Structures are given as C-alpha cells and as structure tokens.
Amino acid sequence: MPQTTREILALTHPYDSLPPEALDHLAETVVRRDVDAGTTIYPQGAPLDALYLIIRGRVEITDESGALLSILGPRNSFGERGLMRDGLAATTARADSDSQLIAVPADTFRALIADHPRVARFFDRTRPARAKRQDLATMRLADMMTPAPHTATPDTPIRAAAQTMREHGVSSLMITQGDTVTGIVTTRDLTNKALAEGLAPDTPVRAVMTANPMSLPPSALVSDVLHVMVERRITHMPVIDDGRLVGILTQTDLTRFQATSSAALIRDVADADTVDDLTGIVARIPQLLVQLVGGHNAHQVVTRLITDVGDATTRRLLAMAQEQLGPPPVPYLWLACGSQGRQEQTGVSDQDNCLILDDAMQPQHDAYFKALATFVSDGLDACGYFYCPGDMMATADRWRQPLRVWTQYFQKWIAKPDPEAQMLASVMFDLRPIGGDERLFADLQADTLAAAAGNSIFVAHMVSNSLKHTPPLGLFRGFATVRSGEHKNQIDLKHNGVGPIVDLGRIYALQGQSAQTNTRARLEAAIDGGQVSPTGGRDLLDAYDMIAEARLEHQARQIRRGDTPDNFMAPTDLSDFERSHLRDAFVVVKTMQSAAGQGRGILS
C-alpha cells in the first residue's frame, strides 16, 4: 500500500483520471481516519458529511432492516448515493474489522463530480446499480470485466512487474506462458512476499505470484464472482474463455454490483467452526428463497444463488473433515450430481454426490476417504440436505472409487445401456466438481461425452429413458393430478414439471457434447448448436421458465405460511389464467418429447 494519500488516490479509480493539479488539491483536502472494528461510521438516515474510500480493512453496508447488502474492502468507496440525493445516508456503514479510511468532504466530492465528467460518470453509474440490487445477480461477468488485462511472463523481475503496474495504474498482472495463465501477482503479493521478505529486485515474479489462480468464464453471473471472492477471500478474478484470458474483475469492480443476502450466508459458511454453526446458517435459505422470489428474480438466478450456498457448505465440511482426519493420502475430487450438480437447488433438496480418487490410491487409503465421505454426508444431512434415498452418495463404496474405475463405469454404461445403465448415466452426466483436484474430472468428462455422443444405440436408449417422466396433462384442458395419498389432487412440479425438461436438456447436451450441467444453459447451447430448432428451442425455454418459476413461487408461498416447502401444488391454488398458461407450457414439453422420441427434436 502506498504511504502517501496522493499515491493511494492516484492508483484508485476514478481519481486516477484526474489531472495532476486536481489530484494534488484532492490529496490536501481529504482526511485519513482510523476506525475500530464494530464502529458505526454512519447510520441510515443520518446527514452525510463525506464520501469514504477504504484504504485498509472491511466495511459492511446494511439496509434499514439490517440485511447485509455488501462487504467492501480496500479501494472501495461508499456514501456517494446519499451525497448525490438528499445528503442523508441511504444505508448504514459499519467497520467489520479495524480499518483505515479516506474521507472526501461532501463539498469537495460535489465539486469533483461537477468539474470532472469521468468522476461524475463513475458515481452516477453506481447509484442506479445499487438502487436496483435485485437485478444485479442476473448480470454476466462479460458485462463487467476489464478486457485485455496486463500480463507478464514468469521470468519477469519483480521490479519490472511493479513498474508495469504503476505505469498502467493497475493492482495486478496476469502471469502467462503463451496463451496459458500460470499465475497472478497483485500489489499485496509485492508488499507481503517481495518487500517484506527483502527479495532482490531481479527476483522472477514466479517467486511471489499466486500459481494457477481461480478463474471463471465470461458467462458466469456476477453473483458467482462475489461468492467466490467472499468465500475464498480473494480480490481478483481472471476471466477465461475456452482456455484464453479475456479479462479480469476486481473487488473494486464489484463495489456497486453486490448480490443480495446470499453473500452474507456464504461469508458465514466460510467462517463457521462447527457443523452446528453450518446448520443454523443453512436454515436461513428458505427466507433467502422468499426474498429472491419476491424480488422477481429469474428462476435460474434464484436456484444458482441457493446452490452457491450449498457448494460453500460442502467445501466447508470438506475442510472440517480434513482438519479432523489430516491431509488426504492421495488427491481427490468431490462432485455433486442431481440438482446441486445442475446448480438448480430450491428450498428442498437431498444430496447426490461421489468421490473420484487419484489412481495412486492404495486399499489402505479407503478408510480415510470413507471417513471423509461420512463426515461430509452426515454434515449435509444435519444441514437439511437429506441423505439420497437411492444411496447415490460418496459414503457408498461404489461411488468412492479411483479414476480408472470411474472410466470403466462410463465405458460399460455406454457399451451396454441396459435400464440400470441408463438410469446411472442420466444421474452421472450431471456431475459437477465441488471441492478437490478438478483435474481428476476434466479428461473423464470430455472422453465420456465424445464416446457417448458417438454411440447411436446409447443415445437412442437415453432418449427413451428421458421420456419416462411425462408432463401432468389430463383430458379437457385439465391436469393429471396425483390420485391418492398425501398429495392427492396435486401435481408434482419436480418429477412431472421440470423433470421432463431436465431430461431433454441432458439429451441435447449429450448429442452436442456440451459440458454444461445447468438445464437452461443446456437448452441455450442446444439452440445455438442446432440440436433443436430455434422455434422449438425457444418455446421449450419459455415453458421451462414458466414451470420452474411456478415451482419456486409455490415454495415461497409455503414458506411464508410457515410450512415446509415441497414440490406438490394443487392446480386450484392458481387463477384460471395461470392454470391455462401452465397447461400450455406442459403441452410444449410434451410436443418436444414427442419430437425427441421420433428423432426430430435432436440431430440423428
């Protein structure tokens, strides 16, 4: 961190756009202020006398009900919304840790935005983004990232790297070899690892970089980035598209693009010390669902945010297990299938998971991994992710195997697609890595998709298997409801609602060799790739959106009533208009199933 206020401002956007004389004046006008953890910097509704910039520490921003809106770190600003409106604080700001701030007096701030258009545009963009925070989660990383980030090679001296960062006013450099990203170096690395350790200026940057940094594709949601940053306590996110570096997103970029209280849940999960702590945190998911549905978020956003909490919970349990058992004897990868694998968890979910182990595993190592699987599955069950009724969990010996065995599984299912193989393949084609060494899955997934797509007999059996779940259509424009039992006169919005579309999406992904696991992403890829006609594909997307949103709205109503959410809805709960359109959606699904069964819905 630079020592002088002017140096800090010169490396912070939008002040880096100021001419030298304006920057000099600003540095002389602002005030540096230290605040202790827990200090309220200003309460909601109080008069604002300054805009604040964080130099060190973290600041929580909450709304009038106390709900967490964002967690801000160094180089983030806050308070501008109130200053640009009526001079009153629109939120409450509280120091989450010992922090140091720069306070820009209100009159100075107003003069800045009046005299410098680039500064004005920066803060004017921030205002509507925060006011419409329910829409932020739908934004894609491609819309926010900084394209073409600055790069260096691993052999670049740390002095040259620092000079490049100073010259361009950036806080990081991507370290690349050819087209491959091998690491990232930040100002924090240069301070903590180079300067503090007294490294020579000609030391290669590889000595202080973070190797193989976490990255996301440009199609990822803004909420994905926020959750990863909060959970893993990182401040820079490289953006990789098909193996190619296309951009970077920093914590500063996220200042005005915070997700709703799902960020608070993930932060609490990352800080949890016990399974009991996790249980209390995950118990807040139903209220999160109500909030997100009430905010008219798209169903794929709601389920993605809820699944993010489930992913973070799983990773925290894996870490707890390793704290108890010690480091693993060989590399492993924990994967989820089912709704978690597809990033489609709702207010009610069981667990479906497995373990892929490195081929170096020896028989005596299984005791460790069985104990790890038991700890995690028991923890997930305690948190409300109930044991899979079909025992599709890593606790089962069958689903805790070395990579070579998993390769044999898929080869056998594809070569001999009997009913059990079809069922297992359907489940396992939804696998998504959650925690561990992801290299154990990359080749297996690519090889399996290629082999499966090239086997027309297997594809035909998978299509036939996908038609077993049918939409609940009855005669005379009615619904085929459950005939007896606890859910008599209700329709199952999971198995007969979204289920048939999930099955179709999996078939399209298989035929197109798409690595996507999310159903909506699979449908979009199928349209782009020609696995379905544009008209039929768009109709199916619209039908999926209607059915999935009806399911979430049903669960939200149950939660608001104090009931446990489920997937069974009585058609009488809907208006005539809603029933008519929901039935039309089921007709679209039935039509697409028929086309797939006749070979017209997919490429042959």
Side-chain angles (χ1 to χ4, degrees):
M1 178 67 69
Q3 295 299 305
T4 70
T5 299
R6 190 189 188 284
E7 288 174 320
I8 295 171
L9 293 171
L11 291 175
T12 304
H13 195 61
Y15 311 109
D16 57 356
S17 66
L18 294 173
E21 61 274 18
L23 192 60
D24 291 339
H25 176 71
L26 179 62
E28 294 171 357
T29 306
V30 302
V31 178
R32 292 174 74 154
R33 174 182 169 189
D34 292 310
V35 293
D36 296 329
T39 301
T40 297
I41 300 163
Y42 55 73
Q44 190 268 334
L48 279 172
D49 58 359
L51 169 80
Y52 294 93
L53 171 67
I54 303 172
I55 303 175
R56 173 174 50 80
R58 295 195 312 179
V59 174
E60 289 187 351
I61 307 297
T62 56
D63 65 15
E64 58 185 4
S65 67
L68 183 67
L69 299 180
S70 58
I71 305 171
L72 306 180
R75 299 180 189 272
N76 285 327
S77 297
F78 58 98
E80 70 277 8
R81 181 180 168 197
L83 289 174
M84 295 183 73
R85 293 198 313 175
D86 53 10
L88 300 179
T91 56
T92 294
R94 181 176 294 105
D96 185 53
S97 64
D98 292 344
S99 303
Q100 187 175 71
L101 311 175
I102 287 179
V104 182
D107 290 341
T108 300
F109 172 72
R110 294 189 178 100
L112 274 175
I113 61 176
D115 297 336
H116 302 282
R118 292 186 65 178
V119 176
R121 283 196 299 271
F122 176 84
F123 288 111
D124 194 52
R125 287 199 305 270
T126 303
R127 175 176 53 178
R130 286 182 175 165
K132 294 178 66 178
R133 59 183 167 83
Q134 289 290 1
D135 296 330
L136 301 182
T138 65
M139 295 192 66
R140 298 195 179 196
L141 186 49
D143 298 325
M144 290 182 55
M145 69 183 188
T146 300
H150 297 283
T151 64
T153 67
D155 294 325
T156 301
I158 56 176
R159 171 181 285 171
Q163 290 170 339
T164 299
M165 293 162 69
R166 180 183 65 183
E167 177 183 350
H168 295 287
V170 295
S171 59
S172 66
L173 288 178
M174 297 305 305
I175 309 303
T176 59
Q177 286 185 309
D179 293 331
T180 302
V181 173
T182 61
I184 183 173
V185 64
T186 67
T187 52
R188 182 182 301 175
D189 294 326
L190 295 177
T191 301
N192 296 345
K193 298 178 183 178
L195 184 61
E197 296 297 329
L199 298 183
D202 59 351
T203 302
V205 74
R206 64 160 56 90
V208 298
M209 73 180 188
T210 298
N212 302 315
M214 173 77 184
S215 65
L216 287 173
S219 60
L221 300 181
V222 172
S223 54
D224 292 334
V225 185
L226 174 64
H227 292 168
V228 171
M229 285 184 168
V230 170
E231 180 185 358
R232 304 195 180 195
R233 296 178 175 86
I234 59 178
T235 56
H236 298 74
M237 178 61 66
V239 185
I240 307 293
D241 186 18
D242 201 19
R244 184 172 56 90
L245 176 67
V246 294
I248 190 166
L249 194 75
T250 69
Q251 193 176 63
T252 300
D253 299 324
L254 282 168
T255 301
R256 62 189 185 277
F257 297 107
Q258 302 294 330
T260 60
S261 59
S262 55
L265 268 68
I266 289 193
R267 183 202 60 182
D268 292 347
V269 165
D271 292 339
D273 293 323
T274 66
V275 173
D276 285 344
D277 291 342
L278 288 175
T279 300
I281 297 164
V282 174
R284 290 149 53 190
I285 285 180
Q287 191 54 47
L288 172 64
L289 184 146
V290 169
Q291 176 184 337
L292 293 171
V293 172
H296 304 291
N297 286 279
H299 68 91
Q300 68 269 24
V301 174
V302 177
T303 54
R304 178 80 67 90
L305 296 178
I306 290 174
T307 304
D308 283 348
V309 179
D311 290 355
T313 301
T314 304
R315 285 190 288 267
R316 187 69 192 104
L317 286 166
L318 286 168
M320 288 180 180
Q322 290 185 198
E323 290 167 5
Q324 183 179 104
L325 300 171
V330 296
Y332 74 87
L333 178 62
W334 183 282
L335 304 98
C337 45
S339 59
Q340 184 181 6
R342 297 189 304 273
Q343 295 180 296
E344 294 166 5
Q345 287 187 312
T346 65
V348 51
S349 297
D350 60 3
Q351 57 174 292
D352 301 278
N353 47 62
C354 65
L355 271 171
I356 298 179
L357 309 175
D358 190 274
D359 281 338
M361 176 197 174
Q362 299 299 313
Q364 63 269 25
H365 296 155
D366 186 58
Y368 176 95
F369 289 111
K370 184 169 186 177
L372 179 139
T374 299
F375 183 97
V376 176
S377 286
D378 287 351
L380 289 172
D381 181 72
C383 291
Y385 301 101
F386 305 115
Y387 297 123
C388 174
D391 202 26
M392 191 74 67
M393 297 182 296
T395 50
D397 294 346
R398 187 181 189 183
W399 308 128
R400 188 181 65 254
Q401 293 291 333
L403 175 59
R404 63 179 180 276
V405 176
W406 280 99
T407 302
Q408 292 167 6
Y409 283 166
F410 279 101
Q411 289 174 345
K412 179 181 177 182
W413 295 335
I414 294 169
K416 187 180 179 182
D418 56 31
E420 183 188 32
Q422 295 168 37
M423 183 274 292
L424 293 175
S426 293
V427 173
M428 294 304 175
F429 273 119
D430 293 348
L431 283 174
R432 182 172 61 87
I434 303 297
D437 190 342
E438 295 191 13
R439 291 175 296 181
L440 292 171
F441 184 61
D443 290 343
L444 174 64
Q445 183 185 42
D447 293 346
T448 299
L449 282 172
N455 188 320
S456 59
I457 296 176
F458 176 77
V459 173
H461 279 280
M462 289 291 288
V463 170
S464 177
N465 185 66
S466 74
L467 304 182
K468 292 180 179 178
H469 291 135
T470 57
L473 291 170
L475 299 175
F476 308 114
R477 295 195 61 79
F479 293 100
T481 58
V482 178
R483 294 183 178 181
S484 61
E486 178 184 359
H487 301 295
K488 182 179 181 180
N489 297 327
Q490 297 176 327
I491 55 177
D492 185 343
L493 289 173
K494 177 181 179 181
H495 290 104
N496 302 112
V498 298
I501 309 173
V502 168
D503 292 338
L504 285 171
R506 186 182 300 114
I507 295 301
Y508 300 151
L510 170 61
Q511 186 67 22
Q513 298 187 44
S514 170
Q516 297 279 6
T517 56
N518 177 263
T519 298
R520 202 174 196 284
R522 283 172 164 173
L523 298 181
E524 291 175 337
I527 296 170
D528 293 340
Q531 280 72 52
V532 292
S533 68
T535 301
R538 296 308 307 181
D539 284 348
L540 186 58
L541 265 179
D542 290 344
Y544 180 48
D545 290 344
M546 179 171 294
I547 297 167
E549 286 172 9
R551 180 190 183 197
L552 289 176
E553 288 166 358
H554 162 69
Q555 292 186 1
R557 285 194 298 268
Q558 290 179 306
I559 294 167
R560 283 193 290 265
R561 292 197 303 261
D563 298 334
T564 301
D566 62 28
N567 294 297
F568 296 90
M569 182 185 71
T572 52
D573 290 344
L574 304 175
S575 67
D576 289 343
F577 179 85
E578 291 170 326
R579 283 198 299 272
S580 176
H581 282 272
L582 186 60
R583 189 183 186 283
D584 289 343
F586 288 136
V587 169
V588 169
V589 178
K590 184 67 175 178
T591 300
M592 294 302 290
Q593 281 188 319
S594 177
Q598 297 173 27
R600 292 183 289 106
I602 61 174
L603 296 178
S604 58

